[in-house]
Amino acid sequence: MPETSRLTVFLLMLFIAGCVSSRPAMDPVAVPEKLKPGAGESLAMIVSAKGVQVYECRPAKDKPGDYAWAFVAPEAELFDSRGRKIGRHHAGPHWESADGSAILGAVKENAPAPVPDAIPWLLLTAKSDGREGAFSKVTSVQRVNTAGGVAPTTGCSQAAVGAAARINYTADYYFFARQ
């Protein structure tokens, strides 16, 4: 085999090996300072979510006689870097792994998404709410790279009270744990 052909085959194999590497990308996205996890926490995993943000038409709390879409809960499936379903995200907010481990989050900070019509980016504190497993050591969660999920701006009226709106969204969740 000529030398250039061997070099081409070698480079092609190297490229393919890099593409199928099982190591997930662990480079965090740039976030505002207030969304950074605490000192002593490091990135444990990145999980993608695809689902809906659920809203309900209700009387507005701050404007008597007016109506507004109120956030109810997320409903999303969670995926690893290879696109395999590994869990779900639902009301609480909870993140639940297929291995039975789960965390409960509480919003600590938020920032507008850098793209229009996307739900805000968040930093949440997290505590274990399930058995030992993939999520049980998570102490903070960032919601970043959001697309969609924003409450409707129309369609909520006295006649629509109780109606639900399910708005598609995607996001990446960065799970952090103590070092």
Side-chain angles (χ1 to χ4, degrees):
M1 182 183 285
E3 190 63 33
T4 52
S5 294
R6 275 191 266 216
L7 180 59
T8 302
V9 169
F10 172 75
L11 292 173
L12 183 59
M13 290 176 67
L14 188 61
F15 175 75
I16 292 170
C19 290
V20 298
S21 171
S22 64
R23 186 164 185 241
M26 297 298 268
D27 295 327
V29 67
V31 297
E33 191 65 35
K34 69 181 184 176
L35 296 185
K36 292 186 178 178
E41 291 180 298
S42 61
L43 184 59
M45 72 179 85
I46 299 172
V47 176
S48 297
K50 182 176 182 180
V52 295
Q53 297 283 309
V54 181
Y55 297 90
E56 183 179 4
C57 180
R58 299 178 181 166
K61 291 181 179 181
D62 55 347
K63 294 181 182 176
D66 207 357
Y67 301 88
W69 292 102
F71 177 70
V72 175
E75 292 178 6
E77 294 183 334
L78 302 175
F79 301 91
D80 68 11
S81 63
R82 292 182 176 175
R84 293 179 298 208
K85 183 179 172 191
I86 61 161
R88 67 188 190 109
H89 176 41
H90 56 93
H94 280 93
W95 291 264
E96 189 176 312
S97 173
D99 68 10
S101 62
I103 53 174
L104 174 63
V107 176
K108 183 175 181 180
E109 293 288 346
N110 69 68
V115 296
D117 298 321
I119 53 177
W121 288 15
L122 302 175
L123 174 64
L124 303 101
T125 58
K127 66 178 184 175
S128 181
D129 191 34
R131 65 178 181 227
E132 191 71 24
F135 292 173
S136 60
K137 302 289 186 216
V138 173
T139 52
S140 292
V141 178
Q142 286 175 334
R143 178 176 76 187
V144 297
N145 299 328
T146 56
V150 175
T153 56
T154 61
C156 186
S157 64
Q158 184 175 12
V161 168
R166 299 170 62 81
I167 310 299
N168 291 334
Y169 92 104
T170 59
D172 289 332
Y173 290 99
Y174 287 34
F175 291 172
F176 294 86
R178 295 257 179 249
Q179 296 176 358

